[in-house]
Amino acid sequence: MDCQTILQNEFHEKYLSEQLSEEERSEYVRHLNQCKSCQKQLEDQRLFIAGIRAMGREQMKAEIRMQVKEQRVGKTESFDWTRLAKIAAVLFMFVMIPGVFYYYQKTDSASLRLLAPEVEDTRTATEDEAATSAEADQTEQVDKLTQEPTKPQTTESTVSGAVPSSEKSETPKRQQKMQESEEAVTVSAESQKTANEMGKSEPPKASAAAGSELSKPASTPSSEKKDYTIKQYRPSQSSLYEMAVTPEDQGQMDSRPLNKAVSDEQKHLQLKKAPLDHSGKAGTTDAKNSGEREQEGFDAFVSMFAQRLHFTSDGRAIIVYIIEPAEKQAKRDGREFPQSFPVRITRRDSSSLEMVWQLDLPLVKMDTDEVGVEMLPDQIMRVVFEDAQVSYRVDLKADSTSAISEK
Amino acid sequence: MVLGELFIRYEKLVCTYVTSHGGTDSDAEDILQETIIVLWQKVCSGDFELTSKLSTYLLAVAKNKWMAEMRKRSKIEAEELAADTPDGNPSSLDGVIEGERVEQVQRALNRLKPLCKQVLMLFYFEERSLLDIARTLGFANADVAKSKKYQCKKALENLLRKHMPERERRT
């Protein structure tokens, strides 16, 4: 074996990687011991391979470190999501569920009716039935009271006794409701008694509970009479309130018929003072007559004034009267005021609507300034007098008006 | 991502062994990396057959690696102690020189063409066969791979010869 053979056959490399046969290895070692040049070449080859392997190891270690980092970052992120989900679940268990129970416990019967209409309807029907029977019993007892006014305490005990014994074990809320019904009936009975004393035979006033359902407008027949005290409406400023309906989109509103445009969506109302003269036209203040009206009161003013509700092209509405029921005033004055009355539409075009209704009775006093007009769907307008606690339902299509609620 | 997965899975096993035998966490990390490299080279060589659990195999390799490292450190300490004596021992100096030459080879490798570097790495580091290299790099057959490896090796030797004298002159 000579140096040329060793170089051609890569014996240095094969020796380092132990790929030589036993015979080749012995000959190679024998030559290597005698040849300095081959020893140098073997050393170079060893460093050559060591260098490549060292570089390979460094690259691979870097690759391992990078992969470990990526996987740990990925695991950390997924762990965070899991942890978030756990936290959310714990929050739901300890906050939301008790909150819902608390809400159910603290919500009044009206809200519960919205949440569980079927159950509440059943309960209401049952309670109404019981209340009706109790009312009938109480009416009888009130009649007895009218005949025997010197024994009110006995009547009360009789009224209490009129409640079936089986209902005494019912829930406190239901008992409270029953008690309220009894009180309402008692008030109605007392009102009727007072009316009888005044020589009138009016039907008992509807209870507050029965009349508070705004969502179920019940038109009262126009023939049904009711006592109201009409209070004066701020005559000192000789001005009436102009309520401006603020349209959300003026352009859209103008492009459609007013009734349609207004009734499509409820409008926000702003109360603005606007001077009005006796003819009901905005912006024409009659300063000369203001003092007179203030002195004369509202009676003369309204008696000559046709009640007007005017919608203009920019969505404004003008209302010029307020009524308020007041039993005491009614008792004192003995006046009657219709709960509902016809409305006559005097003008109607694409941009405006004018309705007129006539009050025959004089308005003696009007001390409220809170008025609200709300456009409901299907061209229904609701006029709310907050102080008067009365809502009026104006059907623009049918040209009719009726009271829909009393507080 | 297999290498990283292996590292994470057996990190605790190897770390426990190394730290309980006088090593640090850094030593354990290095030993585990070396162990994974050995496994990788074995798998790439094509003649690897696992006859035990992978964890047992890896722990055995890690033990050998750590024992070799300990011996190496003991030897270095002994040589450093001997170097302090007046007569001295040239073996540690040889180690330094050898380390510098390995670094020279690495620098020369980085100057090679990427294909040449890949051929040499596949053959000498991953210890793949010429046929496997031919398949991996798209050569016609193993002879082409052998020829390419020879050319790349000569190119690397030329680079080493070219830069070695400069360094020797500097030193």
Side-chain angles (χ1 to χ4, degrees):
Chain A
M1 185 174 289
D2 54 3
C3 294
Q4 188 66 27
T5 307
I6 288 173
L7 283 176
Q8 285 179 352
N9 295 300
E10 296 182 328
F11 272 19
H12 298 308
E13 187 177 311
K14 288 179 182 176
Y15 172 76
L16 290 172
S17 58
E18 299 178 352
Q19 293 178 349
L20 293 174
S21 63
E22 193 62 31
E23 184 182 357
E24 288 174 337
R25 187 175 182 279
S26 59
E27 288 186 19
Y28 172 76
V29 171
R30 195 181 305 124
H31 174 80
L32 196 66
N33 290 332
Q34 299 168 357
C35 181
K36 293 287 183 184
S37 173
C38 285
Q39 288 178 12
K40 179 73 170 61
Q41 290 172 1
L42 176 65
E43 182 61 17
D44 289 344
Q45 184 69 31
R46 192 181 65 80
L47 292 175
F48 177 83
I49 295 175
I52 293 175
R53 286 181 175 170
M55 189 170 190
R57 276 198 300 275
E58 289 304 317
Q59 287 181 353
M60 204 156 188
K61 284 182 181 178
E63 176 70 18
I64 290 171
R65 282 194 291 269
M66 189 191 70
Q67 290 185 11
V68 168
K69 188 177 178 182
E70 287 178 358
Q71 291 192 17
R72 280 183 175 155
V73 169
K75 284 188 177 181
T76 304
E77 287 176 353
S78 64
F79 175 75
D80 283 342
W81 281 110
T82 309
R83 201 170 171 185
L84 277 178
K86 287 176 182 173
I87 291 171
V90 169
L91 281 178
F92 182 79
M93 290 291 292
F94 288 97
V95 176
M96 291 298 294
I97 292 178
V100 169
F101 278 114
Y102 180 80
Y103 175 77
Y104 270 92
Q105 286 177 353
K106 294 297 180 183
T107 311
D108 58 9
S109 59
S111 299
L112 286 176
R113 192 179 300 122
L114 290 174
L115 292 169
E118 295 179 358
V119 176
E120 282 302 310
D121 285 345
T122 308
R123 286 185 58 187
T124 305
T126 310
E127 290 173 3
D128 288 345
E129 192 176 345
T132 306
S133 63
E135 187 177 347
D137 292 341
Q138 285 209 4
T139 306
E140 293 176 5
Q141 297 299 328
V142 168
D143 290 339
K144 289 178 184 177
L145 266 177
T146 310
Q147 295 171 1
E148 299 175 6
T150 58
K151 296 179 181 179
Q153 298 297 327
T154 309
T155 306
E156 284 297 319
S157 62
T158 309
V159 169
S160 300
V163 180
S165 59
S166 61
E167 294 185 5
K168 288 183 178 178
S169 60
E170 292 179 349
T171 60
K173 184 179 282 188
R174 184 171 176 179
Q175 287 178 355
Q176 184 182 357
K177 190 168 185 180
M178 290 291 292
Q179 191 175 357
E180 288 174 2
S181 300
E182 291 166 4
E183 290 173 355
V185 171
T186 306
V187 169
S188 300
E190 288 177 359
S191 176
Q192 187 176 5
K193 178 186 166 188
T194 308
N196 287 337
E197 288 175 353
M198 294 173 67
K200 293 180 180 179
S201 59
E202 292 180 359
K205 185 183 176 183
S207 65
S212 62
E213 298 290 339
L214 285 177
S215 59
K216 296 176 181 178
S219 299
T220 309
S222 60
S223 61
E224 187 176 344
K225 302 298 183 184
K226 209 168 183 178
D227 283 347
Y228 284 93
T229 294
I230 312 302
K231 294 184 178 180
Q232 192 169 4
Y233 173 67
R234 300 253 175 173
S236 59
Q237 298 298 323
S238 70
S239 61
L240 297 173
Y241 278 100
E242 172 185 308
M243 290 181 294
V245 180
T246 306
E248 292 179 5
D249 190 333
Q250 192 73 38
Q252 286 186 359
M253 191 167 177
D254 289 340
S255 64
R256 292 175 292 176
L258 177 87
N259 292 341
K260 176 69 175 171
V262 175
S263 61
D264 276 348
E265 48 196 43
Q266 296 185 6
K267 302 300 181 185
H268 175 67
L269 298 178
Q270 289 181 338
L271 278 176
K272 292 180 180 176
K273 274 190 175 181
L276 297 174
D277 62 7
H278 286 191
S279 63
K281 293 179 180 177
T284 58
T285 307
D286 190 354
K288 190 173 63 178
N289 294 331
S290 62
E292 296 175 5
R293 280 204 305 275
E294 186 172 0
Q295 293 175 359
E296 294 170 3
F298 206 53
D299 290 350
F301 169 59
V302 175
S303 63
M304 57 183 285
F305 185 70
Q307 304 300 314
R308 288 173 184 271
L309 182 67
H310 182 72
F311 283 93
T312 58
S313 60
D314 59 355
R316 287 164 170 251
I318 302 168
I319 192 164
V320 293
Y321 84 100
I322 294 174
I323 59 174
E324 181 179 67
E327 288 185 11
K328 291 181 181 177
Q329 194 70 29
K331 289 174 192 172
R332 190 175 66 233
D333 297 334
R335 275 190 298 272
E336 292 182 6
F337 188 82
Q339 190 174 7
S340 64
F341 38 84
V343 171
R344 185 166 56 88
I345 296 179
T346 57
R347 188 167 61 86
R348 181 185 235 164
D349 54 34
S350 62
S351 63
S352 66
L353 172 71
E354 183 178 283
M355 296 184 302
V356 175
W357 62 90
Q358 185 71 40
L359 280 179
D360 295 323
L361 293 173
L363 302 178
V364 294
K365 189 180 181 184
M366 189 172 286
D367 60 359
T368 179
D369 57 2
E370 295 294 331
V371 183
V373 175
E374 182 182 4
M375 293 307 301
L376 302 176
D378 297 330
Q379 297 188 26
I380 301 296
M381 182 177 68
R382 189 170 64 144
V383 184
V384 181
F385 310 100
E386 290 189 4
D387 286 354
Q389 299 178 339
V390 176
S391 298
Y392 280 90
R393 179 179 185 274
V394 181
D395 191 338
L396 301 182
K397 288 187 294 188
D399 295 351
S400 65
T401 303
S402 59
I404 56 174
S405 72
E406 291 179 45
K407 290 182 181 177
Chain B
M1 302 298 277
V2 179
L3 303 178
E5 181 70 26
L6 280 171
F7 187 95
I8 292 171
R9 184 171 294 182
Y10 298 105
E11 181 181 20
K12 190 175 180 182
L13 180 71
V14 174
C15 188
T16 303
Y17 174 79
V18 172
T19 52
S20 64
H21 287 78
T24 62
D25 288 342
S26 177
D27 295 331
E29 182 180 340
D30 194 55
I31 290 296
L32 180 54
Q33 288 173 348
E34 294 281 353
T35 303
I36 292 171
I37 290 169
V38 168
L39 175 67
W40 177 257
Q41 287 174 328
K42 290 286 183 186
V43 170
C44 289
S45 65
D47 58 350
F48 177 68
E49 186 178 353
L50 190 64
T51 55
S52 63
K53 286 173 66 177
L54 183 60
S55 58
T56 306
Y57 175 81
L58 287 174
L59 186 58
V61 175
K63 282 179 180 177
N64 290 333
K65 285 278 180 187
W66 178 239
M67 296 299 286
E69 179 67 21
M70 292 288 280
R71 282 194 297 271
K72 183 179 172 184
R73 290 184 184 180
S74 300
K75 184 180 176 183
I76 291 173
E77 286 177 3
E79 288 174 352
E80 285 177 352
L81 192 64
D84 291 337
T85 60
D87 53 343
N89 191 339
S91 59
S92 60
L93 184 61
D94 292 343
V96 173
I97 294 170
E98 182 179 326
E100 288 181 356
R101 287 184 179 175
V102 169
E103 288 180 5
Q104 281 180 338
V105 173
Q106 292 179 9
R107 283 194 290 270
L109 266 174
N110 286 327
R111 292 192 188 98
L112 278 178
K113 292 179 181 177
L115 183 62
C116 271
K117 184 180 175 183
Q118 198 171 4
V119 169
L120 296 177
M121 293 290 284
L122 286 172
F123 187 80
Y124 291 107
F125 173 65
E126 296 188 12
E127 298 179 355
R128 297 203 187 192
S129 66
L130 291 170
L131 183 62
D132 194 15
I133 292 172
R135 288 173 182 162
T136 303
L137 300 180
F139 299 146
N141 47 48
D143 292 336
V144 176
K146 186 179 180 180
S147 172
K148 193 69 181 175
K149 186 207 79 171
Y150 181 79
Q151 294 172 6
C152 294
K153 188 179 170 185
K154 287 296 176 189
L156 183 63
E157 288 173 352
N158 291 333
L159 282 172
L160 283 170
R161 275 191 213 102
K162 185 177 178 182
H163 294 282
M164 188 86 77
E166 295 176 3
R167 181 169 182 82
E168 285 176 350
R169 278 197 298 273
R170 280 201 300 269
T171 57

